[in-house]
Amino acid sequence: MTIYWIYDLPVWLFGLTTVAVFVALSVGGLLLSHDYIKKKFNTSESMNEAVSGYFGGITSLYGLLLGLVIVASWQYYDNASRLVSREEAAIGALYVDVSSYAEPQRTQMREIIKSYVNYVINDEWPAQAHGELLYGGRKFLIDLQQSLLDVDLADSRKQLIMSEAMQTYNKLIEAHRMRLDAIDDGLPVVLWVVVISGAALSVLISYFYHFTHFRSHLLMTTALATLAGLMVFLAASVDNPFRGAVSVSPEAYYRLLETWESDSASKADSADEAQRSAGASIADH
Amino acid sequence: MYWIYDIPTWLLGVLTVAVFLFFSLGGLLLSHGIIRGRLMLSNETNNAVCGYIGGIGAVLGLLLGFVAVATWQAFNNAASLATREAAEVGSLYLDVSSYPQPYAKNMQEILKTYLTTVIDTEWPAQMRGQVAHDAMQHLHRLHHEIFTFEPQTINQQVLQAEVFHALNNVLSARRMRLDAVDDGLPAPLWYVVLIGSVVSIATTYFFHFPNFKVHVILTGKFALFTGIMVFLIAAVDNPFRGEVSISPDLYRMMLASWSANP
């Protein structure tokens, strides 16, 4: 399906277009079929009740279907934002873990982590908003792994640090992969076909209503089509968690960079203080 | 639109309902003459209008239900992230208390300061939708403290490993809580909810009643109910804002339990 250009439109335009298309087609269909239906089927007010029965049945089924579709696409969205949050949490923890490594490894690893986060924000995110997968992040992660493993294991404390850092690193790798997997999450085409044809069917059934005044019929059809268009717009914008107006933002990664900046600003004094208190406690001991 | 979280919840509810009532009844009064004169509605057309309202109402009802559930889930998720952070801090506190003195005492003090900063500085900030990093420095200090401790025995080595692990869990839980600060319904969902409500209320204008007063009362009821649903969604949305939000009580309880059994 090459319908993804819809995600490049501004939200309001996309919403307006969807509703406009629905209204135009339904009202157009009503205008065209009105005379024919009236003549052929002799519709009258007394038939409205029966039409209502059918219409009610179809719209309640269609409503359930739409509900399911929206919940399903919402879950993809929710899942994707949780994965992003997990990856961000792992990166944050790893950044603290590597501060136990000696210099120059520490700075070097922190730089790698920072470049990885920058890469995610600047390269991966725009690419995944177009449904593309970039594998460049792996290079940073592999470099990082090499540095993590480069430890003198004779020291028992370093063993501990390494094993803990490796554990966090594995969490990061896992979350990274799962995020990449979620990029092409989306509703299957079949579901979309059913959603659109369900909307068309409900509108078609409503053509069989009879109004003394045709204008009421037109207005009612407009209202129905507006609502159907809105719902389809909603399902489409929630679908594809990394695309369109309702999509997962890279905010979490920006927040990481922001924390590290505020850390390094307050680093000097707090590190000194920690050093002093640590020194004092060793002396006491 | 966040000012709605600064007013008391009951006032928000009353305001939402009042706005819905005002616009739907105003719309009814204004359009009534035109609709009646132009469209020649009668008791017979009611059946058809009823069909449309049924269809539109069913779809809108599902949408409102879904949105209410989605905001509730976001709320629940944020609450469980806060619980998780508190629990991880609690187990870290227990773990560090097994260190020899004065290490144990120092580390426990740092954890207490951490919680106090979260409650006093970070929580008010996140109620305004801001992410504060003030408490992070205490975790850095703690990390440093743990790192400077040199295990003498195998037992202490095992303890050290466990403490590092617990600290990492705290760090992750903290980050995930911060991520939930700006959780909220995306704007397009709000548009659909509001426009959908307007469309369905406007459709009720096409009913015909021999007595106009009945029309006003029934439209009022319909608007009232829609307004209540929208109010519910708005109140639960944004888990850390407003009166219906997650409080730092868990963290306070944690602090209280620590000072009870030092």
Side-chain angles (χ1 to χ4, degrees):
Chain A
M1 286 279 272
T2 47
I3 176 106
Y4 288 127
W5 56 267
I6 58 168
Y7 291 119
D8 299 333
L9 297 176
V11 210
W12 64 267
L13 185 60
F14 174 39
L16 207 69
T17 317
T18 320
V19 172
V21 168
F22 268 78
V23 170
L25 288 181
S26 331
V27 170
L30 179 62
L31 287 173
L32 287 179
S33 66
H34 176 62
D35 287 336
Y36 180 76
I37 290 180
K38 206 161 200 181
K39 251 184 248 151
K40 267 267 163 147
F41 300 98
N42 265 324
T43 52
S44 65
E45 252 142 27
S46 55
M47 273 171 62
N48 276 352
E49 225 163 307
V51 175
S52 260
Y54 279 94
F55 186 63
I58 290 206
T59 46
S60 65
L61 272 184
Y62 183 60
L64 272 170
L65 170 77
L66 266 182
L68 160 83
V69 163
I70 293 177
V71 168
S73 51
W74 181 259
Q75 268 170 355
Y76 281 129
Y77 169 78
D78 214 41
N79 176 43
S81 39
R82 270 172 214 216
L83 288 178
V84 166
S85 177
R86 253 174 69 183
E87 184 180 8
E88 185 238 3
I91 298 174
L94 190 60
Y95 191 84
V96 176
D97 284 348
V98 301
S99 64
S100 313
Y101 279 72
E103 288 290 9
Q105 252 174 313
R106 181 195 314 171
T107 317
Q108 189 196 336
M109 283 195 272
R110 287 191 157 180
E111 284 313 314
I112 299 178
I113 297 179
K114 270 186 205 163
S115 347
Y116 172 68
V117 172
N118 277 316
Y119 178 78
V120 170
I121 296 174
N122 299 325
D123 299 270
E124 281 192 354
W125 224 268
Q128 76 195 7
H130 293 103
E132 279 167 51
L133 270 175
L134 288 188
Y135 295 105
R138 274 176 64 85
K139 199 179 81 53
F140 296 101
L141 295 177
I142 289 169
D143 285 352
L144 187 63
Q145 189 186 31
Q146 247 136 32
S147 289
L148 280 171
L149 290 174
D150 184 18
V151 176
D152 167 25
L153 288 180
D155 185 339
S156 70
R157 258 195 311 177
K158 287 187 179 156
Q159 273 177 28
L160 287 181
I161 292 157
M162 191 186 99
S163 89
E164 194 47 49
M166 281 312 289
Q167 227 171 43
T168 319
Y169 174 78
N170 284 338
K171 278 188 201 159
L172 165 59
I173 295 275
E174 200 183 286
H176 168 77
R177 282 211 167 273
M178 287 171 81
R179 168 168 59 83
L180 293 187
D181 278 348
I183 288 178
D184 47 13
D185 270 0
L187 292 181
V189 181
V190 196
L191 244 73
W192 275 113
V193 172
V194 178
V195 165
I196 306 270
S197 45
L201 255 179
S202 328
V203 173
L204 274 180
I205 296 269
S206 74
Y207 290 169
F208 288 86
Y209 275 116
H210 175 87
F211 283 88
T212 17
H213 213 294
F214 182 55
R215 248 179 291 186
S216 331
H217 204 171
L218 278 178
L219 283 171
M220 290 283 126
T221 306
T222 310
L224 182 70
T226 308
L227 203 79
L230 273 178
M231 296 297 281
V232 169
F233 156 69
L234 181 67
S237 30
V238 176
D239 194 20
N240 296 92
F242 290 106
R243 287 168 190 255
V246 181
S247 63
V248 183
S249 77
E251 185 104 10
Y253 299 92
Y254 280 114
R255 208 171 300 128
L256 275 175
L257 293 177
E258 193 186 300
T259 344
W260 296 337
E261 240 159 63
S262 72
D263 273 0
S264 49
S266 68
K267 190 89 229 165
D269 41 290
S270 79
D272 277 359
E273 195 193 312
Q275 206 83 44
R276 247 182 288 117
S277 66
S281 46
I282 289 169
D284 285 354
H285 198 54
Chain B
M1 271 306 271
Y2 289 125
W3 58 268
I4 61 166
Y5 294 111
D6 300 332
I7 59 177
T9 308
W10 65 266
L11 188 60
L12 175 63
V14 171
L15 274 180
T16 318
V17 170
V19 168
F20 267 85
L21 277 178
F22 177 78
F23 281 105
S24 36
L25 294 183
L28 178 62
L29 289 175
L30 286 179
S31 65
H32 177 62
I34 305 177
I35 290 181
R36 203 162 214 185
R38 288 273 180 102
L39 302 178
M40 297 187 299
L41 296 172
S42 63
N43 283 336
E44 279 70 48
T45 50
N46 274 352
N47 240 332
V49 176
C50 215
Y52 276 96
I53 276 281
I56 291 176
V59 174
L60 186 75
L62 272 163
L63 171 75
L64 284 179
F66 154 71
V67 169
V69 169
T71 48
W72 188 254
Q73 265 177 355
F75 185 87
N76 244 338
N77 176 43
S80 67
L81 287 177
T83 313
R84 214 175 106 189
E85 187 187 9
E88 301 287 7
V89 172
S91 54
L92 181 58
Y93 187 85
L94 273 186
D95 285 351
V96 300
S97 61
S98 312
Y99 276 109
Q101 294 298 352
Y103 286 95
K105 188 124 195 56
N106 273 342
M107 293 181 192
Q108 285 177 334
E109 281 310 316
I110 296 179
L111 275 175
K112 277 183 196 163
T113 331
Y114 171 71
L115 277 196
T116 321
T117 318
V118 169
I119 297 169
D120 295 339
T121 319
E122 293 196 349
W123 221 272
Q126 87 196 358
M127 284 175 78
R128 292 189 303 271
Q130 289 157 358
V131 177
H133 303 292
D134 298 63
M136 193 56 202
Q137 47 165 327
H138 302 298
L139 292 184
H140 276 299
R141 257 171 66 209
L142 183 65
H143 180 258
H144 190 85
E145 196 84 348
I146 298 170
F147 178 65
T148 32
F149 176 77
E150 229 166 310
Q152 308 294 332
T153 62
I154 303 276
N155 291 17
Q156 284 180 352
Q157 268 183 32
V158 175
L159 172 68
Q160 181 98 334
E162 199 39 56
V163 167
F164 265 123
H165 192 66
L167 176 65
N168 266 334
N169 287 343
V170 171
L171 286 169
S172 309
R174 176 190 156 73
R175 285 246 164 238
M176 289 170 88
R177 172 190 31 104
L178 292 181
D179 275 349
V181 168
D182 48 13
D183 267 5
L185 276 191
L189 254 80
W190 273 115
Y191 302 149
V192 175
V193 165
L194 293 179
I195 300 175
S197 313
V198 170
V199 170
S200 58
I201 291 175
T203 311
T204 62
Y205 295 169
F206 293 86
F207 275 117
H208 172 84
F209 288 90
N211 187 344
F212 184 56
K213 257 183 251 170
V214 182
H215 202 171
V216 171
I217 293 174
L218 288 183
T219 306
K221 279 190 182 165
F222 192 83
L224 180 79
F225 192 68
T226 320
I228 290 177
M229 284 298 284
V230 170
F231 156 66
L232 172 74
I233 295 168
V236 178
D237 193 21
N238 294 306
F240 289 108
R241 284 171 190 259
E243 268 175 49
V244 184
S245 67
I246 297 152
S247 78
D249 281 351
L250 261 175
Y251 296 74
R252 287 207 187 96
M253 264 159 52
M254 188 72 76
L255 270 179
S257 78
W258 290 347
S259 41
N261 356 262

